Amino acid sequence: MNNAALVSIVMPACEAAEFIAQSIISVQKQTYSNWELLVIDDASRDATAQITEEFMKVDDRIRLHKLPANQGTGFARNIGIKASEGDFIAFLDADDIWFPHKLERQLNLMKSYEAAVCYSSYELMDEQGESLGRMIKALKSLSFEKLLKANYIGNLTGIYNARKLGKVYSPLIRKRQDWALWLLAVKKAGGALGIQEPLASYRVRKNSISGNKREMLQYNYKVYREVLGFSAVKSSIWIQRFLVEQFFVKSKQNIPLQK
C-alpha cells in the first residue's frame, strides 16, 4: 500500500502568511512522499496565496484553490475534500506542523489493522513556534460513543481511508466542525486507532475557542442536534456527559512532554 496509495492533504488557509511556509515544509519533509497538498486560500488579504505559489513552482504535488470570498474553515475544507484525488484524506491547518514520519507511521498502522481512521498524540507550541513542553496524548483506540463525549481527535493528526468510507465532509457550522467531521467518519468506520507517539505540533492561538466555554457548549449542542439529529432532550443529556468527560477525563490527556 505504501508504494501506491495517494494521500490528499487538505489545508485551509486564511491570513496565514506568517506560518504557512512552515506548514508546507513539514509536509514536504514527510518520509512518505506519495501525497498531494491542496491549499484552500479562504480569500486571504495577505501573502498566503503568493507564498503557496512559490512552493508550487518547485513542487507539482502542491495545488492552490482561491476562494473569491471568505467562507469559513469548514467550507474551505470541503472544497479541498471535493477536489482531492487520494485514497486517504488528511488535514493540516496552515499554522500547524507535522513531524517527518507522520504519514508513514499512520499508513503502516492502518494497513496492519485494516483501520479506516487513525489519529495520534500531538505536541503544543506557542504562537512563535516555541514548545510549551506539553502534549495531548491520544487514546490507543476510540469508539463513536467515546468520541461523542469529547473531541479526542486532534484534527491535524487525523486521517481516513476515503476508498473505504467515501469522502466524509465537514458539516457547515461555524465552529466544532472538525469534531463533527470525525464523528461522522468514526461512526462509518466503527472506531479509530490512536498512536500515542506525538506526530504533529499544534499552535496554540489566543483566539482559540477553548477560551470561551459557553460558546463551545453552544456549538456542541449544534453538533448533537443538527449534525447527528439527536432530539433536544438527548442533546442536553450528551452536553452533560461532555462536561463530565471534558473536565474529569479528557483534561488528564494534557501531560508534560516525555524526554
Side-chain angles (χ1 to χ4, degrees), residues 209-220:
I209 189 175
S210 60
N212 188 331
K213 305 302 183 187
R214 183 185 296 273
E215 184 179 33
M216 179 175 65
L217 291 176
Q218 290 173 345
Y219 279 95
N220 275 24

Side-chain angles (χ1 to χ4, degrees), residues 11-17 20 39-50 52-53 64-77 79 94:
M11 180 183 288
C14 183
E15 314 292 339
I20 193 169
V39 178
I40 315 302
D41 180 19
D42 196 10
S44 298
R45 294 166 295 179
D46 62 6
T48 296
Q50 293 91 322
T52 303
E53 286 166 348
L64 174 65
H65 298 255
K66 296 181 184 180
L67 300 184
N70 183 272
Q71 299 287 341
T73 304
F75 184 93
R77 280 201 190 105
I79 293 294

Side-chain angles (χ1 to χ4, degrees), residues 56-252:
M56 292 169 60
K57 291 177 182 178
V58 295
D59 195 334
D60 62 8
R61 296 173 295 179
I62 301 171
R63 294 153 56 190
L64 174 65
H65 298 255
K66 296 181 184 180
L67 300 184
N70 183 272
Q71 299 287 341
T73 304
F75 184 93
R77 280 201 190 105
N78 285 349
I79 293 294
I81 294 169
K82 185 176 182 180
S84 67
E85 299 177 357
D87 305 284
F88 294 81
I89 297 178
F91 302 93
L92 178 63
D93 284 351
D95 55 355
D96 298 329
I97 62 173
W98 282 353
F99 299 158
H101 53 295
K102 192 261 187 192
L103 289 179
E104 183 178 11
R105 286 276 287 112
Q106 289 186 301
L107 291 172
N108 285 339
L109 186 72
M110 294 172 82
K111 178 182 179 182
S112 296
Y113 290 91
E114 297 185 351
V117 178
C118 182
Y119 67 109
S120 78
S121 301
Y122 57 95
E123 297 182 7
L124 301 177
M125 60 181 172
D126 63 19
E127 290 200 44
Q128 289 70 47
E130 297 295 326
S131 173
L132 293 174
R134 302 194 69 81
M135 63 177 280
I136 304 299
K137 189 174 183 179
L139 302 176
K140 290 183 178 180
S141 62
L142 181 66
S143 67
F144 174 68
E145 289 73 19
K146 184 71 170 178
L147 188 58
L148 277 172
K149 295 179 180 179
N151 186 9
Y152 280 99
I153 298 181
N155 195 59
L156 73 165
T157 75
I159 180 171
Y160 71 81
N161 188 326
R163 289 289 176 260
K164 284 187 177 181
L165 303 182
K167 291 184 176 182
V168 181
Y169 288 89
S170 175
L172 294 180
I173 53 178
R174 191 166 67 88
K175 295 186 177 180
R176 304 298 275 173
Q177 71 275 105
D178 54 343
W179 178 42
L181 183 153
W182 291 114
L183 279 166
L184 296 174
V186 170
K187 185 177 182 180
K188 273 191 170 186
L193 284 183
I195 296 175
Q196 295 192 305
E197 171 191 0
L199 298 179
S201 188
Y202 173 79
R203 197 179 304 268
V204 179
R205 308 289 295 276
K206 292 179 181 179
N207 61 351
S208 170
I209 189 175
S210 60
N212 188 331
K213 305 302 183 187
R214 183 185 296 273
E215 184 179 33
M216 179 175 65
L217 291 176
Q218 290 173 345
Y219 279 95
N220 275 24
Y221 185 84
K222 280 180 175 287
V223 171
Y224 294 133
R225 190 83 172 93
E226 299 176 14
V227 177
L228 299 177
F230 291 176
S231 68
V233 172
K234 188 175 181 179
S235 298
S236 297
I237 291 172
W238 277 106
I239 285 290
Q240 295 174 42
R241 291 175 178 172
F242 169 85
L243 287 170
V244 172
E245 189 82 5
Q246 183 74 24
F247 298 111
F248 294 101
V249 181
K250 188 175 183 292
S251 60
K252 296 178 182 178

